[in-house]
């Protein structure tokens, strides 16, 4: 499976552009702000239906326009699949409600059915935030892995998030009116428990996979700090959640911590606080390599591997390690200078040059 072409209209810095890719390794070369990360973002978008960048997806629409389009062609077993996303900010519709449309071979699809046609794993400098930033980004990471391999996970997550919004709206009402209608809560509680349990279980399995895998780049152990949702737990937080007007238990409050081993193989140190930036980067690289093998194990295919700026991010030894696996799947690498591309690589890659008229 690989992406053979992508065309962009009004996406970020691209007014109208098309790029072709071979099924092996492509290196995108261009100076700062020439649109390298934007192009990787578009590839990731066509894979997952969303951006990996912080902020709102509609912000990817080119400045001063209202609608952006990404079209990709995937080739898998000699069959072509056309994927398309249309991003709007809602101004043309007159409601200022941003929206995204998903199409597969020209036919509109729900996001849960759009996803799953093309898998990607992204490694970028910003991924360090997964370790150092808020739990939100760590949950996002878990979702981004599991959503790509598991349609049931996508369904459970969509349903859970919708239920959560409804239940929180009910809590708001309870706070305003001082009355609680248990019947109304029953339905949403049940829906959240059912889908929440499914999400927790699948996240747990992924963490277990990570912990049981060999790690040649950086050894770590993950603890999954799950927020279990159950009848008892909801009862326990019943008073507190009215004050907070949000549901206080469930996978939307999950987190995980990464611990590194010391010399006596004790895992006492959280990499968030004790690892250097360089080590944290290796943890992320290791995580992403394990994500590749997780997807392979689940789907029996290698996802495309997207590497943003690795030649300036990693030391030589780790660049070597990454280069050893670039042949195993479609790989797209960005770099600012052609001279940064290692000699052993240059023979077997396609090059896309940006920033020159
Ligand atoms: N919505 C947008 N519309 C137009 N330009 C944008 C938009 N979002 C970001 N940009 C521009 O894209 C450029 C950055 O592109 P990027 O792909 O990050 O560059 P790099 O090649 O350094 O990775 C910046 O000049 C930025 O202003
Ligand atoms: Mg960049």
């Amino acid at each position: 499976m690989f992406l053979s072409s992508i065309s962009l209209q009004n996406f970020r810095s691209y007014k109208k552009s098309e790029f072709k890719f071979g099924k092996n390794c492509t290196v995108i070369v261009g100076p700062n702000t020439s649109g390298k990360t934007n192009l990787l973002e578009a590839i990731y978008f066509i894979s997952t239906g969303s951006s990996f960048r912080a902020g709102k997806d509609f912000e990817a629409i080119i400045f001063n326009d209202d609608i952006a389009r990404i079209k990709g062609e995937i080739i898998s077993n000699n069959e072509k699949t056309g994927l398309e996303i249309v991003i709007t900010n809602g101004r043309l519709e007159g409601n200022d409600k941003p929206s995204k449309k998903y199409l597969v071979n020209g036919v509109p699809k729900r996001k849960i059915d759009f996803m799953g046609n093309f898998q990607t794993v992204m490694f970028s400098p910003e991924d360090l935030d997964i370790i150092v930033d808020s739990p939100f980004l760590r949950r996002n990471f878990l979702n981004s892995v599991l959503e790509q391999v598991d349609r049931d996970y996508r369904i459970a997550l969509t349903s859970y998030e919708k239920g959560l919004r409804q239940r929180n709206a009910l809590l708001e009402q309870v706070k305003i009116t001082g009355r609680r209608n248990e019947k109304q809560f029953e339905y949403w509680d049940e829906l959240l428990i059912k889908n929440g349990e499914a999400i927790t279980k699948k996240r747990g399995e992924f963490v277990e996979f990570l912990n049981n895998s060999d790690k040649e780049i950086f050894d770590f152990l993950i603890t999954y700090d799950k927020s279990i949702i159950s009848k008892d737990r909801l009862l326990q937080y019943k008073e507190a959640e009215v004050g907070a007007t949000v549901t206080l238990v469930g996978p939307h409050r999950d987190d995980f911590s990464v611990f590194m081993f010391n010399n006596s193989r004790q895992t006492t140190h959280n990499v968030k606080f004790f690892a250097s930036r360089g080590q944290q980067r290796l943890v992320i690289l290791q995580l992403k390599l394990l994500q590749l093998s997780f997807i392979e194990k689940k789907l029996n295919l290698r996802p495309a591997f997207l590497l943003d700026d690795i030649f300036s991010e990693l030391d030589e030894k780790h660049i070597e390690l990454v280069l050893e696996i670039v042949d195993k799947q479609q790989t797209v690498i960005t770099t600012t200078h052609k001279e940064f591309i290692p000699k052993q690589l240059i023979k077997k890659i396609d090059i896309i040059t940006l920033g020159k008229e």
Side-chain angles (χ1 to χ4, degrees), residues 47 111-119 147-148 154 299:
S47 162
K111 189 179 178 186
I112 54 164
D113 293 316
F114 177 83
M115 286 184 80
N117 283 294
F118 171 53
Q119 286 72 21
E147 279 187 298
Q148 286 209 61
R154 300 198 282 276
L299 302 178

Side-chain angles (χ1 to χ4, degrees), residues 218-221 259-271 274 279:
F218 197 98
D219 204 4
F220 57 73
L221 191 86
F259 290 90
M260 55 189 188
F261 292 96
N262 65 13
N263 291 340
S264 46
R265 291 212 45 90
Q266 289 166 316
T267 56
T268 46
H269 292 90
N270 190 326
V271 300
F274 292 101
Q279 285 175 314

Side-chain angles (χ1 to χ4, degrees), residues 88-140:
T88 52
N89 57 17
R91 206 162 298 147
L92 292 176
E93 291 82 356
N95 56 15
D96 278 340
K97 259 174 82 178
S99 73
K100 289 182 283 181
K101 285 196 184 68
Y102 305 96
L103 299 102
V104 178
N105 293 329
V107 181
K109 296 278 179 188
R110 292 180 298 171
K111 189 179 178 186
I112 54 164
D113 293 316
F114 177 83
M115 286 184 80
N117 283 294
F118 171 53
Q119 286 72 21
T120 48
V121 173
M122 171 92 191
F123 175 73
S124 86
E126 291 90 55
D127 285 332
L128 225 57
D129 295 344
I130 295 173
I131 289 179
V132 298
D133 217 308
S134 68
F136 172 75
L137 292 188
R138 287 184 285 285
R139 288 191 293 270
N140 256 2

